Amino acid sequence: MTPPTLTIGEDNLTERQRAVLDAALGLLVDGGDGLTMTGVARRASCSKETLYKWFGDRDGLLTATVQWQAAKVRMVPVDRETLTAKSLAIALEKFGRDLLSVLAGDISVALNRLAVSHAGQEKRNLGAIVLENGRYAMGRRLKPVLQAGRDAGLLSFEDCETAFRTFFGLVVRDVQIRLLLGDRMELDEQTIAADARRAREQFFALYGA
Amino acid sequence: MTPPTLTIGEDNLTERQRAVLDAALGLLVDGGDGLTMTGVARRASCSKETLYKWFGDRDGLLTATVQWQAAKVRMVPVDRETLTAKSLAIALEKFGRDLLSVLAGDISVALNRLAVSHAGQEKRNLGAIVLENGRYAMGRRLKPVLQAGRDAGLLSFEDCETAFRTFFGLVVRDVQIRLLLGDRMELDEQTIAADARRAREQFFALYGA
DNA sequence: ATCCAGCCGTACCGTACGGTACGGTTCGGT
DNA sequence: ACCGAACCGTACCGTACGGTACGGCTGGAT
């Protein structure tokens, strides 16, 4: 009877509900279509009535699914202890690798496709959620590192936001849009590591003090 | 009776057909939904039967619409005559401005959203078309300039593709994905010009000879 | 033992939309 | 003047899917 909770996290979800959301994620990954209420109910072996009771409507289910996935990929924050040129470089490069790995993953691609689709149809909440837990979460995670790097005299920039966006651009480049559009890119671990390394080198060339 | 032509361009389309495709584009821009066969027929004041006769099915109409828009935005190629450091910089900066302007436009956003949506559902042709006329067309357009810059001793890079992708990243950064996800960014001419200028400066810092 | 809440499975409804059929109209060719 | 092709408008059909209703099962509380 009660509408679904406003924010979905790891808590306020029962084990069964998480299983349902995982089913929705699975359904989403292999072919964005097929993600129907009936499909989710069948895949999760639950009834549609339960889905509506738990999540309100289809949008609620989708929202919960996105938030559930976001809750799962909480990245460990980069620690800014013992900051040297080398440790900063390592942190940046690892951040780049993590970012590319996540972005190139099936779930991220499928989720972003879903959110992009819905962003074009009034109900923009999915897009906002993905933005908040994707792009903006990345910024909040890396900016302290950049600040620390500047405080330690290792980096030089005026606007932290601009510096982050540049790093983002150097790392991601055309990868995400190409993947979203269905381009078959080979992005094995080797390539990702090389890309992150190049991005790190270029970023230091631009912002190194 | 005949299936729709394989490739749609400025020719092999009657004036009426272009008007119909423009109606579809307009419908697409203001709210991705509403782009139904009935909606297009109503907006274009034509019959659904005509739509099906001309374009085969809904996918054919969408494909034709995308190709029609692509045919309209043929960018003028950058001329590589009298290449100096200054003219190269101007060319790069103008390219960046054009790229950002197009990407931030309503039509581009709507079109990319449509293509991204369809890329997640087998029928990947729309994504491929947008990729071909978007990202890849940009590469084909800028690469000769980069090559000329290298030949003139103004730029230094090994892989032209990598250099282009870096420039792309420096220009676009997180703009496209944020727009696709519904982020309300203020991208006036001032901002675009500043972004292109910064990208050009950074690119020269990285690849200038 | 009884009861009740929660849930599964299935059937069902309404609507939206892709696709088809058809009558009526316009218009160029002969 | 006549004919046929192309096209408009509208009605229609089938299906897919969001959402609801309901009967039956299970498991824990009393």
Side-chain angles (χ1 to χ4, degrees):
Chain A
M1 199 57 58
T2 54
T5 59
L6 283 77
T7 53
I8 304 267
E10 291 180 349
D11 34 5
N12 64 14
L13 278 182
T14 68
E15 195 64 35
R16 186 83 183 96
Q17 288 170 330
R18 299 180 199 183
V20 168
L21 295 183
D22 279 329
L25 276 176
L27 221 37
L28 180 64
V29 167
D30 45 53
D33 52 350
L35 186 63
T36 67
M37 299 303 276
T38 304
V40 173
R42 183 163 40 227
R43 179 128 163 184
S45 293
C46 72
S47 74
K48 285 170 65 176
E49 189 179 14
T50 300
L51 293 184
Y52 284 101
K53 171 177 288 187
W54 284 347
F55 305 108
D57 58 0
R58 182 171 190 266
D59 232 42
L61 173 64
L62 263 40
T63 302
T65 302
V66 172
Q67 290 179 333
W68 165 233
Q69 169 64 17
K72 286 202 294 188
V73 296
R74 289 254 175 279
M75 288 200 187
V76 291
V78 185
D79 68 348
R80 37 179 297 185
E81 311 298 328
T82 73
L83 203 59
T84 66
K86 190 171 190 67
S87 72
L88 176 60
I90 290 179
L92 283 181
E93 203 168 315
K94 170 160 176 45
F95 182 89
R97 282 201 310 274
D98 289 351
L99 180 55
L100 275 180
S101 298
V102 170
L103 254 50
D106 286 340
I107 297 184
S108 171
V109 171
L111 229 49
N112 275 277
R113 282 199 183 125
L114 179 67
V116 165
S117 307
H118 282 238
Q121 300 165 350
E122 297 326 304
K123 37 182 177 180
R124 299 178 49 259
N125 43 349
L126 281 190
I129 293 172
V130 170
L131 266 177
E132 187 57 35
N133 294 282
R135 156 66 179 81
Y136 289 125
M138 296 296 147
R140 285 191 300 272
R141 186 183 164 213
L142 188 61
K143 275 187 197 170
V145 179
L146 298 181
Q147 302 268 22
R150 181 170 60 179
D151 294 344
L154 299 171
L155 295 177
S156 167
F157 51 82
E158 288 184 7
D159 183 15
C160 191
E161 173 77 4
T162 301
F164 168 73
R165 293 179 70 195
T166 298
F167 185 69
F168 184 95
L170 286 173
V171 170
V172 176
R173 300 187 292 178
D174 58 356
V175 169
Q176 191 168 24
I177 186 62
R178 282 170 67 181
L179 288 175
L180 289 182
L181 286 172
D183 198 340
R184 311 266 194 215
M185 302 183 67
E186 78 301 345
L187 262 187
D188 49 10
E189 204 166 338
Q190 305 285 336
T191 310
I192 289 179
D195 282 349
R197 176 192 173 94
R198 177 200 38 76
R200 182 259 297 168
E201 290 170 351
Q202 291 176 329
F203 185 76
F204 268 99
L206 292 176
Y207 291 99
Chain B
M1 199 55 63
T2 54
T5 58
L6 284 76
T7 53
I8 305 268
E10 291 179 351
D11 36 4
N12 64 14
L13 278 181
T14 69
E15 196 64 35
R16 186 82 182 95
Q17 287 170 331
R18 299 180 199 182
V20 168
L21 296 183
D22 279 329
L25 276 176
L27 221 36
L28 181 63
V29 166
D30 44 54
D33 51 353
L35 185 63
T36 67
M37 299 301 278
T38 304
V40 173
R42 181 162 44 224
R43 177 128 165 184
S45 292
C46 73
S47 74
K48 287 170 64 176
E49 190 178 14
T50 301
L51 293 184
Y52 284 101
K53 171 179 287 187
W54 285 348
F55 305 107
D57 57 2
R58 182 171 191 267
D59 231 42
L61 172 65
L62 263 39
T63 302
T65 303
V66 173
Q67 289 179 334
W68 166 233
Q69 169 63 17
K72 285 201 294 187
V73 295
R74 288 255 176 279
M75 289 199 187
V76 291
V78 185
D79 69 347
R80 36 178 297 186
E81 311 298 327
T82 72
L83 203 61
T84 66
K86 191 173 190 68
S87 72
L88 177 60
I90 291 178
L92 284 180
E93 202 168 316
K94 170 160 174 46
F95 182 90
R97 282 200 309 273
D98 289 351
L99 180 56
L100 275 180
S101 298
V102 171
L103 254 49
D106 286 342
I107 297 184
S108 171
V109 170
L111 230 48
N112 275 278
R113 281 197 183 127
L114 180 66
V116 164
S117 307
H118 281 238
Q121 301 164 350
E122 296 325 304
K123 38 183 177 181
R124 297 179 47 259
N125 41 349
L126 282 190
I129 293 172
V130 170
L131 266 178
E132 186 59 33
N133 294 282
R135 157 63 179 82
Y136 288 125
M138 295 297 146
R140 284 192 301 272
R141 185 183 165 215
L142 187 59
K143 275 187 197 171
V145 180
L146 298 181
Q147 302 268 18
R150 181 170 61 179
D151 293 346
L154 299 171
L155 295 177
S156 167
F157 52 81
E158 288 186 7
D159 184 14
C160 191
E161 173 76 5
T162 300
F164 167 74
R165 294 179 69 194
T166 298
F167 185 69
F168 184 94
L170 287 172
V171 171
V172 177
R173 300 187 294 178
D174 58 356
V175 168
Q176 190 168 23
I177 186 62
R178 282 171 65 181
L179 288 175
L180 289 182
L181 285 173
D183 199 341
R184 310 264 193 219
M185 303 183 67
E186 78 300 346
L187 263 187
D188 51 9
E189 204 165 339
Q190 306 286 336
T191 310
I192 288 179
D195 282 349
R197 175 192 175 92
R198 177 200 39 75
R200 181 261 295 168
E201 290 171 350
Q202 290 176 328
F203 185 76
F204 268 100
L206 292 176
Y207 290 99

